[in-house]
């Protein structure tokens, strides 16, 4: 596999080489996602009844969480528009990768027995989310 398009470190290349070939073949197109899969592949699934304190969802190559929930309260919701399905989805529980999907294919699933929190929305957060991008000309 040629890794010319992305500057992978020697450590990254060793980690990627441990992955199944159908996953490692996606490394040039989805370098961050594949490195995250490689780093989390040996982690244990979340235990039964685990409720994450911090729940983050990233779509595509977003730098910040598109959905960010802390202790069951929605802190941010900023989902980009895509033509068709999002190219990738990454879910983190308390800073640990729980799920990664690329092009509709599940690459990592450590959800185990985790329970998604009941989500509430603070009214001021809701107003801020709803008014994003609204021009006041």
């Amino acid at each position: 596999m040629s890794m010319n398009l992305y500057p992978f470190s020697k450590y990254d290349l060793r980690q990627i080489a441990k992955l199944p070939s159908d996953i490692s073949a996606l490394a040039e197109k989805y370098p961050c996602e594949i490195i995250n899969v490689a780093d989390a592949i040996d982690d244990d699934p979340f235990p039964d009844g685990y409720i994450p304190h911090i729940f983050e969802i990233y779509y595509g190559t977003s730098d910040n969480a598109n959905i960010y929930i802390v202790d069951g309260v929605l802190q941010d919701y900023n989902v980009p528009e895509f033509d068709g399905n999002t190219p990738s989805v990454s879910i983190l529980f308390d800073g640990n990768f729980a799920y990664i999907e690329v092009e509709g294919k599940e690459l990592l699933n450590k959800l185990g027995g985790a329970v998604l929190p009941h989500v509430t929305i603070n009214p001021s957060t809701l107003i801020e989310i709803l008014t994003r991008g609204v021009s006041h000309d």
Side-chain angles (χ1 to χ4, degrees):
M1 163 172 47
S2 170
M3 297 284 180
N4 298 330
L5 298 179
Y6 191 82
F8 290 104
S9 70
K10 288 181 182 181
Y11 173 81
D12 291 342
L13 291 172
R14 283 193 303 271
Q15 293 298 97
I16 292 168
K18 294 178 186 178
L19 295 172
S21 61
D22 61 326
I23 296 175
S24 63
L26 298 167
E28 283 190 28
K29 191 171 180 183
Y30 300 98
C32 294
E33 290 85 350
I34 301 307
I35 291 298
N36 292 336
V37 169
D39 287 343
I41 197 83
D42 293 328
D43 293 352
D44 290 331
F46 287 90
D48 288 344
Y50 182 86
I51 300 173
H53 296 286
I54 299 174
F55 177 21
E56 302 167 83
I57 301 177
Y58 294 81
Y59 294 101
T61 57
S62 298
D63 290 333
N64 297 313
N66 298 107
I67 300 174
Y68 186 66
I69 299 166
V70 178
D71 292 328
V73 178
L74 181 67
Q75 303 293 318
D76 198 10
Y77 181 89
N78 185 13
V79 178
E81 291 185 28
F82 292 97
D83 291 332
N85 291 332
T86 180
S88 66
V89 177
S90 298
I91 300 174
L92 285 84
F93 291 165
D94 300 324
N96 298 299
F97 285 94
Y99 182 87
I100 299 174
E101 179 181 298
V102 169
E103 296 181 353
K105 180 180 178 184
E106 180 180 289
L107 302 184
L108 179 78
N109 185 341
K110 298 295 180 170
L111 296 170
V115 177
L116 299 180
H118 176 76
V119 179
T120 59
I121 301 173
N122 179 318
S124 63
T125 302
L126 180 59
I127 291 168
E128 192 270 324
I129 290 169
L130 293 174
T131 58
R132 278 191 196 140
V134 174
S135 177
H136 298 289
D137 295 340

